[in-house]
Amino acid sequence: MKLVMKKDALSVSPRHYRIHDASQKHRLIRLFTQICPRFWKTRRRVLSFALVTFLGLGSVLGVQTLFTERVIGASPLIQPILLTSDTTVREPDVSVQPKVQSEILLVQTPIEINYQQLDQGQDYLASGRYTQACQTFLQGFGLESPDCQLSDQELQTLQQFSNSPANVEGWRGLGEVLRRVGRLEDAQTVLSFISQPTPADYLSLGNTQRALSQRQRNLYNRTRNLDDLQQALNQVEIALDSYRTAAETDGSNSQIIPTQARLNQLSLTLDTVAWLKTVKQELTVETWIPTIKSEITQVESAAKKWFSILEKQASQTHQTIQPTFDTKTWKNLTFPEQLSLIYAQVNYAVSLTQLQEYANYFPSLREPSTAEINQRFDTAVTWAKQLNNPLAEMYALGYYGQWYEQQQEWQKAEKQTEKALRLAQSQRSWDVAYPWQWQLGRIYKAEAEQAEKQHKTSAMQGYFQRALTAYEAAFHNIQNIRDNLLSAELDIQFNLRDQVEPIYRGYVNLLLQSRGDNQQENLEEARNVISELQLAELQNLLQCSVAQLEGEETVSLEAIIAEDSTTAVLYPILLEDRLEVILAVPGEKLRHYSPANTPRQEVETLIKRLWYSLEQPFFSQRGRQDSQTLYNWLIQPAEADLANSQVNTLIFVLDGALRNIPMAALLDENEQYLVEKYAIALSTGLKLPQSESSGEFNALIAGLSKQPELADSLDNQFGQLDYVEIEIANIRAVLQDSSLLFNEQFTDKALQDKINSSAYNLVHLATHGQFGFSREDTFIITAATEADQEINSNINALKIDLNTLDDLLRARNQDPIELLVLSACETATGDNRAVLGIAGMAVQTGARSTIATLWSIDDPSTAALMKQFYAALGKKTTKAEALRQAQLHLLQNPSAYRPSHWAAFVLVGDWR
């Protein structure tokens, strides 16, 4: 499993203080720390504050900066730490305030930032309490914002302050905080207010720009749009320019900042080369895409350019920074800069491990020796011990262990990692302990495999159990801090899945491999872990906790199935080396089967190819073969168990890329679709309401048939929906007492007024929309206000994102919506979390279940399917069975029998 760690942090330059009565206590502390250096070692809180005083820094390398981004690939590979001029070691803080609705109030604007609030903001920043720090900095500038969202007006207000030393310091602190909470564009804007930036400011700006490039990379990884790839590379170049300026500009009061900037340049370039290498590998297997050769050529060209940049940077960096790491130089530095140099030493050692790998491909690269890398790690550990700094020592040891893991020197890797973990536990640093627990689990697993090859059964069993224990500890640590991480930093939320997913999967892998009397307990735990991964991803999308998602009076999926003899649940799990399925049949013990000892990458390639085939007007022979292969993997091993039961409904808790495939379209060996045998629904692991649906519906129907015209011309990609009027008429023929909002009447305000005026438990929206990569990218389209409309074939329209839709449909004190139907929406291309987006729409609107489509459907087919669905639903059948009957109706239609017409409709949530 390859690790690509996201590097992140901002810097703030030395503060310029004035004597001020309101900050007398802080002024005296600063003076005393200058006079008596030993005071640093006596009070941790004063230590944090004093470091901020000298260097104006935020937190150093907490879990947020070290272990944010992980890319699933081959084997673990060390990646560099991003350096900041920050050397403050924060005490881990997970008491994050809950998110509240954004509301910024302009209070009396001062001429200069309030000194007391400036000092308090820096104090919060030093301890990692970013929400409080942001609020305090803004209050110092006369603004109020509970969640750090700044409008253009507030940014203009901030810019109107003069470039006095105190105001500049306030901008620096606020810029760092905004970076920490994921407001990247605002952070960049605030830092630009500084008229005479220092090298530390450029370093800070580079780190912000680097985060923007990472976000653009994440977007490309989901869209596979080459424009997004190029924008990510452009942003990397901007960040490199800022780092270059930080390294070459005179005026730094720190000897370390130029070194930090050059190391960040090198690590960013290494990061970019590794990413492009992964992109090329993934594109190479997608041979069914007509434009794939052109895309590969463009990526190869970009990779060649960045390898050339890497060759130059590696040589320049080594020549320039080598003298900085001399022990004599380190001893002559002040305490904060000594700490900075320790992290810089680790950063460089980690970068050298990557350069050693690439030297095999590019002979012109200087290949670092193993002895040189070991020496750098040893020096960093020694310096940390001399400073009596456990957290710095922990990071040096942890990365040292990871380096030995890469070299497959398991005993040495185990020794260093165990030391790092003990230091984390001694400091009660649970938020930085779980990566080392995961690392230790990987090492123990490798040692178990080695012992098995040597036929040392007893040793193999011992190492295996230790690996299982380490993974279990890492999993439970993440569970304990997940909600706090979720509400702490928005940019981290976006990457949380990549950070924790390999830990969840690694733990499940060991649970499914275990044997013995507790096998049934291990299966239950594996099922629980994979469900928790689904919840983590859903929380990540919605940015709220599980408790907020599930509401009251709910019961688990497993509890419902135990009382329902007609429903079975399948949990397919994508592991690195194989596909596993856990099957829950009523009245039977859990069982699992591993139908395909096929690497995950090959399974995902088949899934992508099948999705492409299903969406096409003609279902190709290759597509049919792929559909049968997936059926044989997921369903065929369970056929006997299902046939011997009373099951007529299958619930799938799908994993990863499998969510993109409608299970209804799987073909057996007799060319029979799965939907012809069973009703089908999808679950995300959320608890469900205790009570079943009443079967009585009071419906609100809304739709747009005219072509929407949005304010942003780039959004005008949606055409008119000619059959929406027929679709609505068909539905109202069945649900005769339903209410209607059509075309110009279908505004966001009208929708909210209708929701508030009556207890609608079925909402059908026949309008364009998308289930995207985030809350903002998940939306529906409504008409603008009726006063804005002109009488023509088009309609002025608005995008209503998930945040707004939440407000519209939850703004009532009534029973929850039984069913939300989104008949013309589609998922964002390439997004593995499409079903999560659909589920997120349901959760945010308070709906028990949702019907939506995985791709854009033929307009007449949608109208015909919806007519049959509501006709079946009116007979008080389950939602899953009603959808099945509607899909079978199209399947029997000579003009709509292909999967592209009917298979994309999926039911997510309560199927009853």
Side-chain angles (χ1 to χ4, degrees), residues 771-792:
F771 308 106
F773 316 112
S774 65
R775 294 173 64 94
E776 292 72 22
D777 292 322
T778 299
F779 61 85
I780 63 168
I781 292 177
T782 70
T785 60
E786 293 187 54
D788 293 337
Q789 304 300 337
E790 298 179 5
I791 301 177
N792 55 41

Side-chain angles (χ1 to χ4, degrees), residues 467-482:
L468 191 61
T469 301
Y471 267 99
E472 180 182 15
F475 167 71
H476 287 295
N477 254 348
I478 289 175
Q479 291 295 99
N480 290 334
I481 66 175
R482 192 173 71 193

Side-chain angles (χ1 to χ4, degrees), residues 565-601:
S565 62
T566 65
T567 304
V569 186
L570 292 94
Y571 303 81
I573 304 168
L574 292 169
L575 300 175
E576 287 305 304
D577 60 345
R578 67 193 189 281
L579 173 66
E580 290 262 9
V581 181
I582 297 177
L583 174 66
V585 175
E588 301 290 337
K589 290 183 177 181
L590 290 178
R591 60 164 291 206
H592 82 100
Y593 45 91
S594 181
N597 290 322
T598 305
R600 178 178 176 176
Q601 186 174 1

Side-chain angles (χ1 to χ4, degrees), residues 327-358:
T327 299
K328 184 177 180 180
T329 301
W330 181 78
K331 288 182 177 180
N332 290 331
L333 295 174
T334 61
F335 172 85
E337 291 195 331
Q338 286 180 322
L339 192 56
S340 286
L341 198 57
I342 293 173
Y343 289 111
Q345 185 79 272
V346 176
N347 181 310
Y348 193 35
V350 169
S351 293
L352 290 177
T353 65
Q354 287 182 280
L355 287 171
Q356 189 180 69
E357 179 197 17
Y358 290 128

Side-chain angles (χ1 to χ4, degrees), residues 30-152:
R30 289 194 295 273
L31 179 61
F32 184 55
T33 54
Q34 292 171 355
I35 297 172
C36 183
R38 292 188 178 182
F39 189 71
W40 294 96
K41 299 182 180 180
T42 61
R43 290 184 58 191
R44 177 183 288 269
R45 189 169 183 274
V46 174
L47 167 61
S48 294
F49 181 81
L51 290 175
V52 171
T53 300
F54 283 100
L55 293 174
L57 310 171
S59 74
V60 154
L61 297 165
V63 63
Q64 293 93 333
T65 62
L66 275 175
F67 300 96
T68 302
E69 179 68 9
R70 301 189 184 276
V71 174
I72 306 302
S75 58
L77 175 65
I78 302 175
Q79 294 285 344
I81 307 163
L82 179 66
L83 290 173
T84 170
S85 55
D86 173 358
T87 54
T88 306
V89 180
R90 68 178 179 86
E91 294 182 7
D93 177 75
V94 293
S95 57
V96 185
Q97 294 184 354
K99 295 173 67 64
V100 295
Q101 184 178 352
S102 173
E103 181 181 5
I104 296 188
L105 303 174
L106 186 62
V107 298
Q108 184 175 1
T109 305
I111 299 174
E112 192 165 271
I113 189 171
N114 180 281
Y115 279 79
Q116 186 174 7
Q117 288 167 327
L118 173 62
D119 286 343
Q120 187 65 54
Q122 294 284 26
D123 209 8
Y124 283 140
L125 179 58
S127 62
R129 299 163 69 184
Y130 303 126
T131 302
Q132 295 95 322
C134 182
Q135 293 169 354
T136 306
F137 280 128
L138 287 173
Q139 288 167 3
F141 283 112
L143 300 172
E144 292 283 348
S145 172
D147 59 1
C148 283
Q149 292 194 34
L150 297 175
S151 67
D152 291 342

Side-chain angles (χ1 to χ4, degrees), residues 148-151 155 175 178 183-191:
C148 283
Q149 292 194 34
L150 297 175
S151 67
L155 288 170
L178 290 170
R183 313 291 186 200
L184 304 181
E185 290 83 359
D186 289 347
Q188 190 170 234
T189 299
V190 169
L191 290 170

